[in-house]
Amino acid sequence: AKHSVITTKVKTELAAEKLSSLVHIKVKTDNKGVVTLSGTVKTQEAADKALSITQAVSGVTSVENNIKIVAGK
């Protein structure tokens, strides 16, 4: 159940950022603490922010970043 705690923490931290694009990021954590981020954001900055937020969460051993950048119109 530890990995679900990590997933919840990451989602909470992303939501706390108040960047609307971060809300659409999917977070999955395996039992080794490896977090996979997927989904889309509008800017490289948002993707980088999501990555740094995730890396800062305790219990995360590494981050697999599969976020795609789709520029908004």
Side-chain angles (χ1 to χ4, degrees):
K2 196 180 122 221
H3 55 279
S4 63
V5 172
I6 293 172
T7 298
T8 302
K9 269 196 207 162
V10 170
K11 287 182 170 176
T12 302
E13 293 295 321
L14 292 175
E17 243 349 273
K18 301 280 185 271
L19 273 173
S20 60
S21 58
L22 297 186
V23 177
H24 303 294
I25 294 172
K26 292 178 188 65
V27 180
K28 281 204 294 230
T29 309
D30 73 7
N31 56 10
K32 294 182 182 74
V34 177
V35 177
T36 303
L37 299 176
S38 58
T40 57
V41 294
K42 289 189 171 73
T43 63
Q44 182 64 52
E45 288 80 14
D48 291 345
K49 189 83 175 155
L51 183 62
S52 62
I53 289 168
T54 303
Q55 288 169 330
V57 171
S58 71
V60 174
T61 54
S62 70
V63 182
E64 181 86 27
N65 189 352
N66 297 331
I67 297 171
K68 292 180 178 58
I69 292 140
V70 179
K73 295 194 166 48

